[in-house]
């Protein structure tokens, strides 16, 4: 259940932002989530509803976009998608090196708010 602390943080950020911009009601929250973050959309909305109750974000919809996991080759510095199907790539697409570093896929961002 690691969605809960993530959603706590998100609710905290959007309420602070709303206050700063004198927003009265938040309709939707657009999020980008790395495909490796293992956040379940259903649980995220569930926790969001719970944590945003009686705030200006009550009833807001989470709209979630997935970010593809990417790797960078330490040898040739090229970047490429980390997965082919469900298995993670072990060699660089360009030079075949195995010195690969995951550079995205675990992160999450609040892209923007839809508000009144
Ligand atoms: Zn390479």
């Amino acid at each position: 259940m690691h969605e809960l602390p993530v959603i706590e943080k998100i609710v905290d950020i959007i309420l602070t932002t709303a206050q700063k911009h004198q927003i009265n009601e938040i309709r939707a929250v657009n999020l980008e989530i790395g495909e490796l973050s293992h956040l379940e959309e259903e649980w995220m909305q569930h926790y969001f509803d719970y944590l945003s109750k009686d705030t200006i974000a009550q009833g807001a919809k989470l709209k979630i976009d997935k970010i593809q996991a990417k790797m960078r080759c330490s040898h040739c510095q090229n970047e490429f998608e980390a997965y082919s199907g469900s298995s993670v790539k072990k060699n660089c697409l360009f030079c075949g090196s195995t010195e690969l570093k995951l550079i995205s896929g675990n992160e999450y961002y609040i892209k923007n708010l839809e508000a009144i």
Side-chain angles (χ1 to χ4, degrees), residues 94-110:
F94 300 89
C95 71
S97 166
T98 53
E99 289 168 51
L100 306 177
K101 221 173 128 184
L102 206 59
I103 54 168
S104 73
N106 281 313
E107 68 278 59
Y108 60 90
Y109 301 109
I110 301 171

Side-chain angles (χ1 to χ4, degrees), residues 73-78 80 92-97 99-100:
C73 173
S74 307
H75 189 69
C76 69
Q77 306 302 323
N78 275 302
F80 47 90
C92 173
L93 288 184
F94 300 89
C95 71
S97 166
E99 289 168 51
L100 306 177

Side-chain angles (χ1 to χ4, degrees), residues 19-20 28 39 41-42 46-47 50 75 84-85 87-88 103:
Q19 208 170 28
K20 226 183 278 177
L39 295 167
E41 293 182 27
E42 202 186 318
H46 178 78
Y47 286 131
Y50 171 70
H75 189 69
S84 48
S87 62
V88 67
I103 54 168

